[in-house]
Amino acid sequence: MADWNRDAILTLARSFMESRLLLTGAELNLFTLLEKEALSAAQVCERIAGDLRGVTILLDALAGMELLSKEDGRYRCDAVVAALLSESSPETVQPMVLHAGNLWQRWSNLTVRVTPARPDTSPGGWLRSFIGAMHTIGAPQAGRIVDRINPALAGRLLDVGGASGTYTLAFLRAVPQLQATLFDRPEVVEIARVRLREEGLLSRVRLVAGDFYTDPLPGGHDLVFLSAIIHQNSPEQNEALFKKAFAALDPGGRLIVRDHILEPDRTRPTAGAIFAVNMLMGTAGGNCYTFEEIREGLERVGFTAIGLLQPDSRMDGLVEAHRP
């Protein structure tokens, strides 16, 4: 009998991502293209008539999976992989991989095939499932992350895009004197209200509805938490959000950013390089960022004493910055 556990189920649920990256690499014939010479993302983009943002994120993800290598900004398909995936190799399995790509299209409709009368999921249902998924992922690690942040001296927390309150709850449990503001879209705030009430902590939380893209953040806080937000934004959007977070902090206050934080070559951690593809497919300008990119954006709006509080392994990277 299979030894199923929480992590095994979640790994299985996400395994399609690496499969899709392999299929796209084969469909674009990247392993043949990069077999004989190393090319930059811009050169690959020109050869395949691609989009530079998309091609760069794809190549970094394939390098993170070690299907390509990356050195000095140039990508190459090493001999072992090329023997299996280049169309010029006598041992290639490329035709079968391309056939799997065709099967992908059929299998994507499996749910509809077995339940043709099933109604489409409503937007409200999608939102609740997304917020629920964020709690499922966040709850097991929230306490550990809050401990690493060391919030004991904080008195007023602002949890931006706080969803159903997963991290707000962890902060409140860690610091008995802490008061919190949870800021999110109106419909999400109501989901948070239910969870916070069930946990008996609603009286310590001010719920504020708004959109951090268009609205100012509520002020008067000494700790602002941006959790799993910056990956959905372009660099320009992040700088605008950092500016709002700066304004929401009292002098001497602290900002914490939790997210995937890529190493300088953008291929590690592998989970972050792959997650960047998720942002390529789901946002207009989102990506995963290196610490240096995050630091530069924070500095431009006035933050100081910026440091990497915790390296990233599974979207648990932490960057700390201070408002002078």
Side-chain angles (χ1 to χ4, degrees), residues 146 149 151 157 167-175 178 223 225:
V146 168
I149 293 168
L157 164 74
Y167 279 89
T168 295
L169 287 167
F171 276 107
L172 293 175
R173 289 169 178 148
V175 186
L178 187 69
L223 179 61
F225 189 52

Side-chain angles (χ1 to χ4, degrees), residues 176-246:
Q177 76 275 12
L178 187 69
Q179 299 291 315
T181 302
L182 187 150
F183 181 90
D184 213 314
R185 292 162 53 189
E187 58 271 38
V188 179
V189 161
E190 294 311 310
I191 299 173
R193 190 186 307 278
V194 172
R195 188 180 300 283
L196 292 163
R197 182 183 293 118
E198 289 174 347
E199 296 291 336
L201 291 170
L202 182 58
S203 63
R204 293 171 59 193
V205 183
R206 180 167 67 116
L207 297 171
V208 179
D211 184 336
F212 57 69
Y213 289 114
T214 56
D215 300 322
L217 299 177
H221 300 89
D222 53 18
L223 179 61
V224 171
F225 189 52
L226 299 181
S227 177
I229 291 176
I230 67 169
H231 60 245
Q232 72 187 46
N233 294 341
S234 67
E236 296 77 16
Q237 288 173 318
N238 278 329
E239 192 168 325
L241 181 57
F242 294 157
K243 186 174 182 179
K244 291 181 180 184
F246 188 92

